[in-house]
Amino acid sequence: MDVFRFERVTKAPLRNLNFSIQEKDKVMIFGPSGAGKSSLLFLFNRLSDPDEGVIYLQNQPIIDCPIPTLRKRVGLVLQAPHLFPGTVKDNIKYGPSLFGEWQEEQAEQLLDYVQLPMALLNRDVEDLSGGEKQRVSLARTLANSPDVLLLDEPTSSLDYRTAEEIEEVLECLSQEHRITLIMVTHNLKQAERLGDKGFFMMNGEIVESGDLQDLLYEPTTDALNRYLDE
Amino acid sequence: MSPDVSNQSLLFLIVFVFVPLTLSYLYQLGMSKSIMWSSLRGTVQLFAIGYILTWLFDLPPVVGIPVMVSVMIVIATFHARNKGRELPHVFTVILIGLIVIEGIVLSLWIIFDMVEFKPSEVIPMSGMVIGNSMVAMGLALERMKSEFAENTGKLQAALSLGARPKQASHLIIRKTLNASLIPNIDKLKIIGLVQLPGMMTGLILGGVAPVMAIKYQLVISLSIFSAVSLSAMFVTLAMYRYFFNQQEQLLENEAQLEAQSKNRPSK
């Protein structure tokens, strides 16, 4: 079943996007800087809206879904953690508290998902390392139990080792919890490890899409060929 | 000291203008023209307002007070809105805010018999309240704009977790109010210790007993404190919504904010 379907969607710099994403897909969006990857990500949870075209969520136009409910179902992890002032717990309970759904016992499970010790629960977020902050950001999004997880280069500002640890968490999430992943990344090795489908974007368009292995090893367009060579 | 300064003595004030003029000339600061112009303009403005006040003070209070207070509010509104020109309805919000705040303060003065309803008392004191409220509103607008610009990521994160604009802005609203109130709290703490407040100094120079001058100063200082707090709160709570559109999306730049002027704010 299609989770998302884009029909002739245009939103500068994005042009004429037509694609669909099925449940449990692990879609990797890659391409050069300025291709419109992050702009595309913001359309999925209506942090921005298309100028033209229609986006469907489970065959219903996305605009028919109440905005807070949509954003709860379609979680987003940004490039930087952007944690709120306070403790780890204040951050991870933020989303569920908005909907009156927070339960104390969730805390342990969430920290366990992102491989953080319970001892950090009441730690001020200012005292965390970069990797820990990004995990808290991930736990904060997962606390809403989203069906779809959007990730905007979540490891780009982390060192190699920490990035690998976050990657493990994501792998575990997609395999054990069968969540739909849509991730923007510049790291093709990471894309290969985490994804099964791929979108190659350039100048606001999806130039090539399909099976990720095919895209990476048997590209059909010159643009993707050149990008992979670089 | 005589409460009146003779015209002859006033002429000697030119010495005070010569000091910065000489500095500008010696160090080639290129500011001679603006020093002359601002000194001249200030003098003319003050004499003009002196004659206007004399005329207003002779009018019946129910005419003189509303006329002068209205003029002050309109000028203050034009001045404060410059700090948030790109925001929709900023003029109306400031105008309403100043009218409401001045109305509340003036009513309390009259009800509790702190100030007599006559132009010579109400107009100068209202001027101080309106002027300080104007500055507080301008600062709150500037602070709010910079907080929204600096915290785009946090706001997007909050919205993406399902927060409504009001919930997402909570952090910004708190920081803006905090920043607006702290200088006034500090000012009140050291009142009279470092510098004698202007109104009290004026009254003492005019021959009023210091304790009496202090009573007036307390009325005006606490009125200003309250007016400034209300101004910052009013403008912040009225304006935060214009940083979002109806689709509960954050407007990230001036162009988007200006385009929003034509639409209604988010809920």
Side-chain angles (χ1 to χ4, degrees):
Chain A
M1 183 185 178
D2 288 348
V3 182
F4 276 106
R5 195 167 79 249
F6 279 51
E7 283 184 5
R8 298 183 303 280
V9 169
T10 295
K11 166 82 177 177
L14 304 167
R15 284 177 295 167
N16 196 30
L17 300 177
N18 292 286
F19 64 83
S20 62
I21 291 173
Q22 270 81 50
E23 256 179 37
K24 320 289 187 245
D25 273 355
K26 290 172 272 177
V27 182
M28 300 292 121
I29 304 170
F30 58 98
S33 297
K37 304 184 293 291
S38 298
S39 306
L40 169 59
L41 218 53
F42 277 19
L43 291 173
F44 287 101
N45 68 350
R46 294 196 68 196
L47 282 182
S48 78
D49 278 336
D51 299 327
E52 284 171 41
V54 187
I55 302 171
Y56 294 91
L57 172 68
Q58 286 169 333
N59 295 328
Q60 296 293 316
I62 200 173
I63 53 166
D64 289 347
C65 184
I67 290 171
T69 313
L70 168 77
R71 290 177 182 162
K72 182 176 180 286
R73 288 176 61 190
V74 184
L76 170 69
V77 177
L78 295 160
Q79 196 170 346
H82 296 301
L83 298 181
F84 309 132
T87 63
V88 170
K89 187 177 167 184
D90 293 335
N91 273 272
I92 57 177
K93 67 189 268 196
Y94 185 88
S97 301
L98 295 170
F99 300 92
E101 292 173 358
W102 172 251
Q103 289 170 337
E104 292 296 324
E105 53 271 25
Q106 265 180 280
E108 190 172 356
Q109 195 186 17
L110 285 163
L111 290 189
D112 190 47
Y113 277 165
V114 296
Q115 297 166 14
L116 279 176
M118 266 300 274
L120 288 187
L121 191 63
N122 292 311
R123 179 86 52 92
D124 193 300
V125 292
E126 289 300 317
D127 300 331
L128 302 178
S129 68
E132 287 169 336
K133 283 182 181 170
Q134 194 57 297
R135 281 169 210 239
V136 173
S137 160
L138 187 56
R140 182 176 64 179
T141 304
L142 293 174
N144 268 344
S145 309
D147 305 324
V148 180
L149 188 58
L150 309 169
L151 300 133
D152 190 4
E153 299 188 62
T155 61
S156 64
S157 56
L158 303 175
D159 62 72
Y160 179 73
R161 192 168 175 77
T162 318
E164 253 189 359
E165 287 167 8
I166 297 279
E167 227 178 82
E168 274 172 33
V169 174
L170 294 175
E171 239 177 313
C172 169
L173 271 172
S174 69
Q175 279 167 10
E176 289 178 24
H177 302 279
R178 310 285 294 154
I179 202 166
T180 306
L181 283 185
I182 304 172
M183 176 160 142
V184 169
T185 181
H186 270 110
N187 184 337
L188 294 180
K189 292 280 175 212
Q190 184 180 60
E192 194 177 356
R193 283 193 293 269
L194 288 173
D196 53 22
K197 287 193 177 161
F199 290 169
F200 170 63
M201 291 188 71
M202 208 172 169
N203 301 327
E205 285 180 295
I206 296 178
V207 178
E208 205 171 327
S209 63
D211 183 86
L212 188 64
Q213 293 294 320
D214 291 347
L215 290 190
L216 295 178
Y217 295 105
E218 292 170 43
T220 56
T221 56
D222 289 344
L224 181 52
N225 249 317
R226 277 196 303 274
Y227 179 75
L228 293 174
D229 285 345
E230 282 166 17
Chain B
M1 184 191 284
S2 159
D4 190 19
V5 182
S6 70
N7 291 340
Q8 198 185 357
S9 304
L10 270 183
L11 273 179
F12 287 109
L13 275 176
I14 204 149
V15 175
F16 291 109
V17 183
F18 270 129
V19 175
L21 261 182
T22 314
L23 277 174
S24 172
Y25 176 75
L26 284 178
Y27 290 96
Q28 295 174 323
L29 302 178
M31 291 169 75
S32 307
K33 209 171 155 188
S34 61
I35 291 168
M36 301 259 281
W37 170 239
S38 57
S39 307
L40 191 69
R41 187 181 150 163
T43 309
V44 172
Q45 270 173 208
L46 279 177
F47 269 110
I49 202 73
Y51 284 112
I52 292 170
L53 285 176
T54 310
W55 173 69
L56 281 169
F57 290 174
D58 290 338
L59 288 175
V62 286
V63 179
I65 291 172
V67 166
M68 192 58 194
V69 167
S70 304
V71 170
M72 288 192 287
I73 287 177
V74 170
I75 293 173
T77 306
F78 273 105
H79 192 79
R81 74 106 184 242
N82 286 337
K83 308 285 181 187
R85 207 175 252 279
E86 66 280 28
L87 294 169
H89 310 302
V90 69
F91 186 89
T92 316
V93 166
I94 295 173
L95 183 67
I96 293 172
L98 288 175
I99 291 171
V100 169
I101 289 162
E102 169 61 13
I104 292 172
V105 173
L106 186 55
S107 307
L108 290 175
W109 284 344
I110 305 298
I111 291 168
F112 296 116
D113 200 23
M114 295 170 188
V115 172
E116 250 185 274
F117 191 70
K118 56 182 188 183
S120 58
E121 288 195 22
V122 171
I123 290 173
M125 290 179 74
S126 292
M128 282 188 261
V129 167
I130 294 166
N132 280 281
S133 300
M134 170 193 83
V135 173
M137 285 184 176
L139 286 176
L141 279 173
E142 272 189 330
R143 179 80 189 200
M144 193 161 50
K145 282 194 302 182
S146 69
E147 287 291 341
F148 268 93
E150 281 168 25
N151 290 288
T152 303
K154 282 195 177 78
L155 289 159
Q156 296 285 30
L159 290 175
S160 74
L161 290 164
R164 314 303 295 247
K166 187 178 181 181
Q167 294 164 321
S169 308
H170 184 73
L171 170 73
I172 308 282
I173 293 173
R174 223 172 55 183
K175 278 171 98 172
T176 305
L177 289 178
N178 214 22
S180 309
L181 294 186
I182 284 175
N184 289 290
I185 293 171
D186 288 344
K187 216 154 72 180
L188 211 55
K189 269 191 222 161
I190 58 151
I191 192 167
L193 297 179
V194 179
Q195 190 184 23
L196 288 181
M199 182 177 176
M200 185 178 139
T201 311
L203 286 171
I204 293 171
L205 287 174
V208 173
V211 175
M212 181 70 83
I214 283 167
K215 283 183 185 171
Y216 268 99
Q217 186 61 52
L218 267 177
V219 170
I220 194 65
S221 291
L222 292 174
S223 302
I224 288 173
F225 185 47
S226 155
V228 160
S229 314
L230 271 175
S231 303
M233 195 179 299
F234 184 86
V235 83
T236 309
L237 293 177
M239 294 309 295
Y240 81 85
R241 68 198 69 206
Y242 295 110
F243 288 83
F244 301 88
N245 63 16
Q246 278 181 280
Q247 290 71 44
E248 305 188 20
Q249 295 159 351
L250 183 66
L251 302 171
E252 290 183 45
N253 53 45
E254 280 192 19
Q256 286 183 321
L257 286 168
E258 273 170 22
Q260 169 78 349
S261 309
K262 292 165 192 144
N263 300 318
R264 282 175 39 235
S266 69
K267 291 182 214 93

